[in-house]
Amino acid sequence: MNYPKVTLPKLSDVIVRQLEKRILDGVLKPGDRLPPERQLAEEFGVSRPSLREAIQQLASRGLLSSRQGGGTWVTDRLETAWSDPWEKLLHQHEELRGDLLEFRRVLEGTVARCAASRATPADLERLQRCVDKLQQAYSGGDLTEQARADVEFHQAVAEASHNVLFAHLSGSLLSMLHRHVKDNIANLFAVGEVAEALRDQHLAIWRAIRERKPSEAQLAAERHLDFVAGTLQSQQQQTERDERARMRLAQGSPER
């Protein structure tokens, strides 16, 4: 009887899959530096040449970046591969921002629902820390810190969904928004009543997840995005009115 030959995977390929999994799971995030080569080889129980070969494979695919004398870093390739072309389009076509918020509403509602069903005790502990940061940021009145804490909270919810595509897509969207719509986010926080509403909305999402109520978590996330979209629209309309009024005043035309 002829048995099929057993083909064993190359050791470097096994290491590649292990590192890929850490990146996909968010254990290794963009900007993170890998442990020193000796430490990582000992952790995997492999030789340093096999580890180097694995790192070179991932670097050639753009997932890792090695710097001479500076170690190896996780790139943001998974996020920017999607967001790069959209960033310029969103900057040039403001009407796309409504579509983006509508997309976020669907995504984050589903993400919150999954998080309420799947979050582990470690996820809940991380979310609690994010909520504490949010509370401190609101109390301190630092708009930049509030925007940063807002992004961290939403990303922690996405990762608690335990769906790697949700987590990475959410990370890409949130990073893009933080870089290019941060002025709008800061304007939201700057208004006292709006800021209080946003805090309450984040707490509602958190409570629903903590209490394992998927439907309530989804509804809370959707209401939050509806509120953000509505508030930004109102601010944009007010900005346009102010601009028209200034133009009329500059031309000596009475207001109507």
Side-chain angles (χ1 to χ4, degrees):
M1 182 176 181
N2 293 326
Y3 291 96
K5 293 183 179 180
V6 176
T7 303
L8 296 176
K10 287 180 62 177
L11 187 55
S12 60
D13 291 339
V14 175
I15 301 169
V16 165
R17 285 195 291 274
Q18 289 295 319
L19 289 172
E20 283 176 338
K21 181 168 175 53
R22 294 189 183 190
I23 293 171
L24 287 171
D25 289 346
V27 177
L28 290 173
K29 298 182 181 296
D32 283 354
R33 183 178 180 177
L34 264 61
E37 188 177 278
R38 182 187 300 276
Q39 178 183 333
L40 200 55
E42 291 177 356
E43 182 180 339
F44 284 130
V46 299
S47 66
R48 294 174 73 175
S50 293
L51 177 63
R52 289 193 201 107
E53 185 178 347
I55 289 174
Q56 288 171 359
Q57 285 187 47
L58 291 171
S60 69
R61 291 162 48 198
L63 295 177
L64 295 178
S65 175
S66 295
R67 306 172 189 173
Q68 187 67 30
T72 301
W73 304 75
V74 180
T75 70
D76 59 358
R77 177 70 178 274
L78 289 177
E79 280 74 20
T80 58
W82 183 88
S83 64
D84 275 353
W86 282 102
E87 288 189 12
K88 187 173 182 179
L89 289 169
L90 284 165
H91 182 70
Q92 294 177 336
H93 302 274
E94 291 190 1
E95 69 273 13
L96 290 176
R97 292 183 181 178
D99 290 347
L100 176 61
L101 285 167
E102 185 177 45
F103 180 72
R104 277 191 66 196
R105 183 185 191 277
V106 174
L107 175 65
E108 295 195 22
T110 303
V111 160
R113 185 181 189 93
C114 290
S117 299
R118 303 172 182 172
T120 68
D123 291 323
L124 296 179
E125 181 178 348
R126 181 186 174 199
L127 281 166
Q128 180 65 68
R129 291 177 182 176
C130 288
V131 169
D132 292 342
K133 280 186 179 180
L134 270 173
Q135 297 279 45
Q136 292 171 6
Y138 281 114
S139 299
D142 185 333
L143 300 183
T144 299
E145 187 57 35
Q146 288 173 22
R148 183 181 297 112
D150 180 281
V151 169
E152 288 181 5
F153 171 77
H154 284 287
Q155 185 58 23
V157 172
E159 292 178 2
S161 74
H162 289 275
N163 180 304
V164 295
L165 290 175
F166 286 163
H168 283 276
L169 183 54
S170 174
S172 180
L173 282 170
L174 290 169
S175 295
M176 181 171 61
L177 288 169
H178 190 57
R179 288 193 299 269
H180 293 271
V181 197
K182 60 184 178 182
D183 290 339
N184 284 334
I185 294 175
N187 288 337
L188 282 177
F189 285 116
V191 182
E193 292 182 1
V194 173
E196 284 299 314
L198 288 171
R199 173 162 57 181
D200 291 344
Q201 290 159 19
H202 287 115
L203 291 176
I205 296 169
W206 158 234
R207 283 194 295 268
I209 293 172
R210 183 184 60 195
E211 295 170 9
R212 306 290 186 184
K213 297 178 178 178
S215 295
E216 289 187 19
Q218 179 175 358
L219 184 59
E222 291 172 347
R223 284 175 173 168
H224 170 59
L225 266 297
D226 287 342
F227 178 82
V228 170
T231 303
L232 289 176
Q233 183 180 27
S234 296
Q235 289 182 350
Q236 180 62 31
Q237 290 172 344
Q238 186 59 49
T239 299
E240 291 171 356
R241 294 187 191 107
D242 291 342
E243 181 62 24
R244 286 195 299 269
R246 282 193 295 268
M247 291 174 65
R248 292 174 187 143
L249 182 62
Q251 294 180 5
S253 174
E255 286 285 346
R256 295 180 180 178

